[in-house]
Amino acid sequence: MSVNIPGIVSVALFYVAILILGVIAGRKTSKNSSKNALLVADRSLNLFVSVFTVTATLVGGGYINGSAESAAYSGLVWTQAPIGYCLSLIVGAFCHIPKMRSENYVTMFDPFQLKYGKKVGAILFIPQILGDLFWTAAVLAALGATISIILSLDATVSIVVSSAVAVIYTVFGGLYSVAYTDVLQLIFIAVGLIIAFPFSLSHPAVDLSTIQNSWLGTVPTSSIASYIDTLLLCVLGGLPWQSLFQRSLACKTVSIAKWSAFLSGFFSLFLAIPPIMMGLAAKATDWNSTDYKGPIPIPDDQRIYILPLALSYLTPLPVGIIGIGVVSAAVMSSADSCILSTSSVFTKNIYSDIIRPKASERELVWVLRISVVVVGVMGTIIAISATTIYGLYVLCSDLMYVTLFPQLTLVLWMPSCNAYGCVAGFFLSFILRLLCGEPVLGVPAALRFPYYDVENNVQLFPFRTFCMLLGTLTIVVVSMATNYVFLSKKVPAKYDFLKCYKQRTIRMHISDEQVDHTYVVPGDKTETANI
């Protein structure tokens, strides 16, 4: 198949537009070259920009491709992600986000280091960093596959170019560039999807009557518990992500942070409708009547290509090219968010707080920029070379739900929790999740819960939620027990090796203002740190 020159030119123009907008937005950072300008855009985001950037962060390539894939292979009821993530943002809007923004934190991990200490808090970075890295690789790989199908361009070239564009404007402007390019990217996504899906439904090869009894899908009785488990994973596991809180913490006020998350939930749900319709169109397509030359029926290992196949074979070429812009915008909005998220956590919570507490503002800015490049390169290399990227991200998403969701909720709302409970709960839930296995990665289940499907190697028990609840209980019980034995002096204070019973004051430099946060525990020592 020959290379589609008009399509390549159109995509190139789109990339140039995104790059120019990102560099222009980055000028705001150049006027105030500080880490807070790069990390939280000087807390300047208004409601309009915030809604767009929060929605764009969520509605990435995986969200769009996954919605189409689920509808095509399993039916509408299996597209849990749109409803789940909508509910996730609504929960966050009224619980976690106002609490975080009112405290003027810089990253999601500041309250952990404030309450548990810098090094204990650093343990919780592991699933976040892995999740961001593998998700960046996954969306870049999805873009490469999409462009190779529609434009007949080498997938590696598209991955490298897309990653380079996202890295360049993120290096120049940090969150300013990412947020303002998200506005343009989301407009492309919304307009492109709305234009494309009617063409796919009206294609002569599509006969919706063939799926009139199956488009909704069914949930077998044996899978109901597992289905609920996955839905809870989307709802609660969608909360503890630095990329979400980075935007919320950058809002001008607590009210803007709350309402932008609330509105973004419904906006993201609306944007899932077109790819779901395209997935249903693909399900109702007689592929023998199209120009598609691949295996029929489309095998399971190619199910992630449902959306690009629909754009390529069920829509006119100009519409397919617009679809490439949609996927490119969705991928870059996810990739730049994850790259900046990981780089922010490393710069702020690891380099500044642990490795070099006395680092200058200029040094931290350059560490952040170098981190953006390194993370972007790592994500690109994994996207090009790995074959199980999506499986790795699935496992990381589970870890976010199982390990970080209870930790974040308790550190914000349960003052009596301490570092001993944090460490015990983290490792217990982490190890339990690994023992449950992961079929996508080919990892066998060492721990089999009731109703285990031996034939398909699938846990039908809601094991993720079980591990999360057990981890939550462990945090509470261990914290209460250690509080009792130390505060009642049944165990001497010299054995408090995690130093839980100190008074910690963390001085946070927020642009031109200085905010002191003090976590008070009965004790006779005070520890002060700058973050």
Side-chain angles (χ1 to χ4, degrees):
M1 186 182 295
S2 59
V3 175
N4 186 330
I5 300 299
I8 292 177
V9 172
S10 300
V11 172
L13 291 175
F14 168 75
Y15 277 30
V16 170
I18 291 294
L19 184 59
I20 291 174
L21 177 61
V23 173
I24 292 174
R27 289 181 179 178
K28 291 190 175 184
T29 302
S30 64
K31 295 177 182 178
N32 179 17
S33 184
S34 68
K35 73 176 187 298
N36 287 298
L38 290 167
L39 297 182
V40 290
D42 291 321
R43 306 201 193 276
S44 64
L45 298 188
N46 57 37
L47 182 62
F48 175 80
V49 175
S50 182
V51 168
F52 270 75
T53 189
V54 171
T55 306
T57 301
L58 184 66
V59 184
Y63 182 89
I64 292 175
N65 280 316
S67 298
E69 174 192 332
S70 296
Y73 276 81
S74 305
L76 180 63
V77 297
W78 287 97
T79 56
Q80 300 126 301
I83 295 177
Y85 290 137
C86 174
L87 294 175
S88 177
L89 285 173
I90 292 174
V91 171
F94 292 97
C95 296
H96 298 71
I97 288 173
K99 178 74 170 176
M100 293 284 285
R101 178 61 185 87
S102 65
E103 295 292 338
N104 283 330
Y105 294 127
V106 179
T107 77
M108 185 184 82
F109 293 95
D110 286 346
F112 294 110
Q113 291 188 311
L114 166 63
K115 192 168 186 179
Y116 302 144
K118 298 175 183 177
K119 295 179 181 178
V120 172
I123 297 174
L124 303 175
F125 304 160
I126 298 171
Q128 173 76 57
I129 291 175
L130 290 177
D132 278 342
L133 184 61
F134 289 129
W135 183 236
T136 301
V139 296
L140 288 172
L143 176 62
T146 302
I147 290 182
S148 66
I149 288 174
I150 299 180
L151 301 183
S152 302
L153 185 67
D154 182 69
T156 300
V157 173
S158 64
I159 290 172
V160 172
V161 172
S162 302
S163 177
V165 171
V167 166
I168 289 171
Y169 66 69
T170 305
V171 165
F172 273 101
L175 187 57
Y176 272 120
S177 292
V178 170
Y180 284 93
T181 54
D182 279 346
V183 174
L184 180 59
Q185 288 161 350
L186 193 63
I187 292 173
F188 267 95
I189 294 170
V191 173
L193 288 174
I194 291 172
I195 290 175
F197 88 88
F199 285 96
S200 63
L201 291 173
S202 60
H203 192 279
V206 176
D207 183 4
L208 295 176
S209 65
T210 61
I211 62 168
Q212 61 182 353
N213 296 322
S214 61
W215 70 273
L216 185 60
T218 58
V219 180
T221 303
S222 60
S223 299
I224 291 177
S226 178
Y227 179 90
I228 296 174
D229 193 36
T230 304
L231 181 61
L232 289 174
L233 167 66
C234 294
V235 176
L236 303 180
L239 275 172
W241 288 87
Q242 162 64 12
S243 54
L244 169 62
F245 283 102
Q246 189 156 28
R247 282 140 182 81
S248 300
L249 294 171
C251 291
K252 288 182 178 180
T253 65
V254 175
S255 178
I256 290 176
K258 178 175 70 174
W259 287 106
S260 63
F262 181 79
L263 295 173
S264 297
F266 291 101
F267 201 2
S268 64
L269 183 62
F270 169 77
L271 289 176
I273 296 174
I276 288 173
M277 299 305 294
M278 296 186 74
L280 293 175
K283 187 174 186 177
T285 298
D286 177 8
W287 290 99
N288 289 310
S289 301
T290 68
D291 295 330
Y292 174 67
K293 305 300 181 184
I296 299 174
I298 299 172
D300 287 350
D301 61 354
Q302 295 186 26
R303 59 192 300 171
I304 61 172
Y305 305 138
I306 284 295
L307 184 63
L309 287 174
L311 288 169
S312 183
Y313 296 105
L314 302 181
T315 65
L317 180 59
V319 177
I321 292 173
I322 293 174
I324 281 291
V326 169
V327 177
S328 299
V331 165
M332 280 199 285
S333 67
S334 286
D336 59 20
S337 298
C338 293
I339 290 170
L340 182 61
S341 168
T342 300
S343 303
S344 300
V345 170
F346 174 78
T347 302
K348 167 64 177 61
N349 300 101
I350 297 179
Y351 188 85
S352 176
D353 291 349
I354 298 176
I355 300 175
R356 288 266 297 166
K358 296 183 179 179
S360 66
E361 194 84 356
R362 182 178 177 82
E363 179 181 345
L364 293 177
V365 168
W366 279 105
V367 169
L368 177 64
R369 288 171 173 167
I370 293 171
S371 301
V372 167
V373 175
V374 171
V375 173
V377 170
M378 291 174 63
T380 303
I381 292 173
I382 297 174
I384 294 172
S385 59
T387 58
T388 57
I389 297 169
Y390 182 73
L392 290 171
Y393 177 71
V394 167
L395 184 56
C396 290
S397 297
D398 283 11
L399 290 176
M400 296 294 285
Y401 173 47
V402 169
T403 62
L404 274 189
F405 168 71
Q407 296 280 2
L408 179 63
T409 302
L410 292 177
V411 78
L412 292 177
W413 299 106
M414 188 173 177
S416 60
C417 287
N418 61 34
Y420 297 102
C422 168
V423 173
F426 176 83
F427 282 107
L428 177 65
S429 54
F430 184 90
I431 293 170
L432 279 177
R433 177 60 190 92
L434 294 180
L435 291 176
C436 291
E438 181 49 61
V440 179
L441 296 176
V443 178
L447 181 62
R448 297 182 177 183
F449 288 96
Y451 314 112
Y452 183 81
D453 185 346
V454 179
E455 183 178 349
N456 298 308
N457 295 319
V458 174
Q459 301 269 15
L460 297 178
F461 185 81
F463 66 98
R464 301 179 186 90
T465 301
F466 176 80
C467 294
M468 183 273 290
L469 292 175
L470 193 58
T472 304
L473 182 62
T474 301
I475 297 171
V476 174
V477 171
V478 172
S479 295
M480 292 176 65
T482 50
N483 284 339
Y484 172 73
V485 297
F486 279 113
L487 296 180
S488 64
K489 302 189 183 299
K490 294 185 180 297
V491 175
K494 65 180 180 180
Y495 294 112
D496 176 23
F497 61 92
L498 292 183
K499 301 178 181 179
C500 286
Y501 303 98
K502 287 185 175 181
Q503 174 176 295
R504 293 193 184 91
T505 298
I506 291 189
R507 184 162 296 145
M508 304 178 66
H509 296 282
I510 314 297
S511 298
D512 295 327
E513 64 175 324
Q514 181 170 289
V515 180
D516 285 355
H517 288 274
T518 304
Y519 172 60
V520 181
V521 176
D524 56 359
K525 298 180 180 179
T526 300
E527 180 181 281
T528 301
N530 294 324
I531 64 175

